Amino acid sequence: MSDGMIFLNQNLLWPVIIVGLVLWVVFIWKEWSQRKERRFYVKLIASFLAIVSLCMIVLKPSTYQESERGKGIVLTAGYSPTQLDSLKSIYKRIKTEEYTKGRTLSLLTDVDSIFLLGHGLETFDFWQVEDKSVAFLGSDEMEGWTVISRNNEMILGEPLEIRAKYAKPKAGHWAILADNAENPLDSVFFEETDAQVVTLSAEPKASGKFVYHLLEKDGDGEVVSNEPVPIQVKEGRPLKILMVNTFPTFETKYLKNFLTEKGHEVLARTQLTKGKYKFEYFNGASGSMYGFTSENLKEYDLLIIDTDSYTGLGRSSKEAMEEVAESEGLGVFVQAGEGLFRLSKSQSPFQFNRDYVTEIVLGQPAQTLSKYPYEFKETLRSQEILMDSVAVAAYLPIQKGKIGTTLLQNTYQLILDGKEALYAQIWTQILNNIAKGQESMLKWTAITQIPRRDEPFQFEVQTPLTDFQVQANDDEIIPLLEDVLVPNKFTGVVYPKKTGWNQLRVSSDSILPLSYFVYEDEEHQSIGQSEIMKVNYRKFGSKNTFDDSASISNKELEPVSPFWFYILLLLCLGWLWLEPKLFP
């Protein structure tokens, strides 16, 4: 689109016109003797066109054209050449620049709107385009591991379960979970599909910081890719547990033995007859408990109570139990019995649907367990406890505390069958999720999901402490920024200098550090790119055009190419030179 013509050398317009007219008059005077011949008029037109061409070459006529100067293209890793060619065919002279993380884009000084191709910008470079209109086109070229999901921290005895997604897997390849020495622990066969989700599991045998490996191997056993999976396994702290039963059962007996062997302090109360109880003490437990009060319950981390004892609680005992759960964080686990599933909403916080399934399969190798023919009803408060993607238990938060139960029954049969490891995994997973949490003066949160060397690692720390400093590995003091909305919440940024395990700690509290793993540049590439693309879609949306209000339509003067004027000038002068020789 154009808006008329203008001369770049507008100040020479009249001198050029005058000189041109003089030249034409001189030419007419010179050829006036041939005025009665037809060729006179042909030469007159040719001379006029030649003089006009000369004038145009000097004046440089230009038109206002829609300019690509207001738009630019930023190329990031994984961009599609087809997309780039398509844009360049529409915007002939559009500026293009390749993005390098951490480096300022030079074209941003000349454009107000950019097409962003590829996986997108790093989050720490978003500031560069805050005042620009961005059309994020993304990239479809994604192969390899795009998601690796697991708990970064776990308690010894809990099973390690990794769920990972592989884009464009090759049939005949294997996904293998290996330990630090790359000894295989679990494996899944790849199928030929667009994307495959695999679940791999292992059983950590000791506490500490470990780096497992997620391997891809071809049919010949050669390693195609190797992704580190850092895991921090912590020793479970000894719990103070109260077990209450109306009568002894094998389930209670074996659970009590398991908790005792793990070093937990257990007080077990079993009802013999009405008003008479048997007390057992393990690992330093002492005292007796006949009725629940706030005072005698608040010293416990976990209450395990069977269904009959739970339904038989008096009003004062039940209120005391709920009060301690709310205020002190007491965990309450109700051992399921047939009566639990028949209780009304006013009698029980749990809700179930009958599913008529009496068995589930868990573990590697697969083991069949008995369960009650029910499933947990999904509610806003209900939180399921999963093993191998199967809900084995659930709990409801009660302010600081939790109350939970399980659908499994007769789990002691696993011990009789020699499956002690699976039994330990099940009960460690259930009880650790329900027991009172350990209160800390510090709460760390890693914001950067894939830390890399010499790149910003952002973290948060919440603490009521007023005078403290955060230090990195080399004792460098990290500046903190306090949140203006959330009290006692601080954010900081550190640039790790080495790969592998790194640590942040508070100078006044070395017991509660934040351990985080820094990856090599070539590690977690496809996962990092997938995460970057998700963040960019959240930031810029999925539109491939600009908002009219945000993208200004710039126009600039585009000179008409002088090539055509030179051609016309040469043709006219050539004719004027050749004509006398052809027609003497």
Side-chain angles (χ1 to χ4, degrees):
M1 181 183 293
S2 64
D3 295 324
M5 184 177 292
I6 193 170
F7 298 109
L8 291 182
N9 295 327
Q10 185 75 24
N11 58 321
L12 300 177
L13 178 61
W14 285 110
V16 168
I17 291 176
I18 292 172
V19 171
L21 288 174
V22 170
L23 288 174
W24 198 39
V25 168
V26 170
F27 181 83
I28 294 172
W29 173 76
K30 177 180 176 295
E31 301 292 333
W32 186 253
S33 60
Q34 300 178 3
R35 65 185 180 278
K36 293 182 179 180
E37 299 181 31
R38 179 179 297 178
R39 60 181 182 171
F40 171 76
Y41 296 99
V42 175
K43 289 195 287 185
L44 197 65
I45 294 172
S47 63
F48 177 79
L49 292 176
I51 292 170
V52 169
S53 298
L54 281 171
C55 292
M56 293 298 103
I57 291 171
V58 174
L59 293 175
K60 295 183 178 180
S62 304
T63 58
Y64 278 106
Q65 300 288 341
E66 293 285 353
S67 171
E68 288 85 26
R69 192 173 63 85
K71 298 181 178 65
I73 299 175
V74 175
L75 305 175
T76 64
Y79 74 88
S80 167
T82 304
Q83 282 183 334
L84 178 60
D85 293 341
S86 177
L87 288 174
K88 285 191 171 183
S89 67
I90 300 172
Y91 305 98
K92 302 297 183 183
R93 285 174 290 277
I94 190 169
K95 289 189 175 182
T96 304
E97 184 176 351
E98 289 199 20
Y99 163 73
T100 301
K101 56 186 177 182
R103 183 176 298 173
T104 303
L105 293 164
S106 60
L107 64 71
L108 296 179
T109 58
D110 300 322
V111 303
D112 52 54
S113 307
I114 63 171
F115 292 101
L116 186 59
L117 278 63
H119 301 134
L121 304 175
E122 296 282 352
T123 54
F124 51 78
D125 279 328
F126 281 165
W127 65 270
Q128 297 192 47
V129 295
E130 285 298 335
D131 59 342
K132 309 295 180 184
S133 177
V134 179
F136 180 52
L137 305 186
S139 172
D140 296 329
E141 301 298 323
M142 190 69 69
E143 295 184 6
W145 297 109
T146 57
V147 177
I148 298 179
S149 176
R150 83 284 185 190
N151 289 329
N152 294 325
E153 294 184 2
M154 54 185 299
I155 304 298
L156 183 62
E158 293 180 349
L160 168 61
E161 185 173 280
I162 295 175
R163 288 177 58 83
K165 183 178 180 180
Y166 196 100
K168 299 181 181 179
K170 294 181 180 179
H173 285 208
W174 291 83
I176 299 173
L177 177 63
D179 61 17
N180 194 55
E182 297 191 9
N183 299 308
L185 303 174
D186 197 4
S187 62
V188 173
F189 188 69
F190 275 145
E191 301 173 358
E192 191 166 352
T193 180
D194 290 336
Q196 184 172 347
V197 177
V198 301
T199 300
L200 300 163
S201 59
E203 301 172 14
K205 303 299 184 183
S207 60
K209 299 172 186 173
F210 301 97
V211 181
Y212 289 82
H213 293 270
L214 189 55
L215 306 177
E216 178 193 359
K217 289 189 177 182
D218 59 20
D220 297 327
E222 297 295 325
V223 176
V224 177
S225 66
N226 184 343
E227 296 290 358
V229 184
I231 300 292
Q232 190 171 6
V233 183
K234 297 182 177 181
E235 287 279 1
R237 64 185 178 91
L239 301 175
K240 194 168 184 179
I241 301 173
L242 172 63
M243 300 185 71
V244 176
N245 293 96
T246 51
F247 54 87
T249 63
F250 285 112
E251 188 77 333
T252 299
K253 173 185 175 182
Y254 283 96
L255 179 57
K256 178 177 59 182
N257 293 341
F258 166 73
L259 295 174
T260 302
E261 291 171 2
K262 288 293 182 181
H264 300 299
E265 183 179 324
V266 179
L267 169 60
R269 190 192 80 179
T270 305
Q271 186 172 356
L272 300 176
T273 60
K274 187 174 181 181
K276 291 186 178 182
Y277 303 95
K278 173 187 175 183
F279 292 94
E280 297 175 276
Y281 310 96
F282 304 94
N283 297 329
S286 61
S288 58
M289 184 178 298
Y290 295 93
F292 294 166
T293 65
S294 299
E295 286 300 317
N296 60 23
L297 280 178
K298 68 180 182 182
E299 58 182 288
Y300 288 95
D301 300 305
L302 179 65
L303 167 63
I304 300 175
I305 184 170
D306 66 1
T307 298
D308 290 339
S309 298
Y310 178 76
T311 56
L313 289 176
R315 180 178 177 180
S316 60
S317 292
K318 193 169 186 179
E319 288 178 351
M321 180 186 70
E322 292 174 351
E323 179 188 344
V324 175
E326 293 174 359
S327 61
E328 302 293 333
L330 173 68
V332 180
F333 178 77
V334 180
Q335 291 179 287
E338 288 289 349
L340 180 66
F341 304 98
R342 295 192 295 266
L343 297 178
S344 64
K345 291 183 179 180
S346 60
Q347 295 175 303
S348 169
F350 307 110
Q351 298 182 46
F352 306 95
N353 292 324
R354 183 179 285 272
D355 66 354
Y356 302 100
V357 177
T358 58
E359 292 181 341
I360 61 171
V361 177
L362 295 175
Q364 294 291 338
Q367 181 73 25
T368 302
L369 287 83
S370 299
K371 67 176 281 287
Y372 292 98
Y374 296 88
E375 64 179 4
F376 293 106
K377 189 174 182 179
E378 292 186 7
T379 64
L380 291 176
R381 294 178 58 210
S382 178
Q383 303 290 320
E384 292 184 337
I385 300 174
L386 303 177
M387 276 192 64
D388 296 341
S389 303
V390 178
V392 296
Y395 65 84
L396 300 171
I398 311 176
Q399 294 187 20
K400 289 186 176 182
K402 303 168 186 174
I403 181 169
T405 189
T406 182
L407 301 173
L408 302 178
Q409 60 174 333
N410 300 331
T411 59
Y412 68 89
Q413 190 65 44
L414 290 171
I415 295 179
L416 299 181
D417 294 338
K419 306 293 183 180
E420 292 89 350
L422 180 58
Y423 180 89
Q425 289 177 16
I426 292 171
W427 284 107
T428 300
Q429 183 88 333
I430 293 174
L431 299 182
N432 281 346
N433 274 279
I434 296 174
K436 180 194 295 186
Q438 186 175 9
E439 294 188 2
S440 171
M441 294 293 289
L442 287 171
K443 180 183 178 182
W444 297 95
T445 304
I447 298 177
T448 304
Q449 296 301 308
I450 304 179
R452 298 194 187 278
R453 184 173 52 189
D454 297 326
E455 293 185 12
F457 170 73
Q458 189 175 6
F459 63 92
E460 289 180 352
V461 58
Q462 272 188 286
T463 176
L465 298 174
T466 56
D467 184 18
F468 71 99
Q469 291 179 324
V470 174
Q471 296 178 336
N473 294 340
D474 55 0
D475 295 332
E476 175 190 1
I477 303 299
I478 308 303
L480 299 177
L481 180 64
E482 187 171 7
D483 195 303
V484 295
L485 299 178
V486 182
N488 304 323
K489 181 179 178 182
F490 303 85
T491 59
V493 176
V494 63
Y495 290 79
K497 296 180 176 61
K498 69 181 185 71
T499 57
W501 286 104
N502 283 250
Q503 192 175 85
L504 294 175
R505 67 184 186 278
V506 170
S507 54
S508 60
D509 190 354
S510 59
I511 301 175
L512 296 169
L514 170 65
S515 296
Y516 63 99
F517 189 84
V518 178
Y519 296 87
E520 299 280 1
D521 290 340
E522 66 275 9
E523 295 172 344
H524 275 38
Q525 281 287 348
S526 55
I527 298 171
Q529 291 163 358
S530 177
E531 289 300 318
I532 288 173
M533 194 153 63
K534 290 176 185 177
V535 172
N536 276 258
Y537 272 125
R538 287 196 296 268
K539 174 71 174 177
F540 306 117
S542 57
K543 62 184 180 181
N544 55 12
T545 57
F546 303 111
D547 295 333
D548 292 336
S549 59
S551 178
I552 302 171
S553 179
N554 293 327
K555 293 184 179 182
E556 63 181 15
L557 282 172
E558 289 286 341
V560 177
S561 175
F563 172 79
W564 303 109
F565 298 129
Y566 282 114
I567 292 293
L568 181 60
L569 177 62
L570 288 173
L571 289 174
C572 293
L573 293 178
W575 171 257
L576 293 174
W577 174 79
L578 189 62
E579 189 270 343
K581 295 176 175 55
L582 295 175
F583 308 101

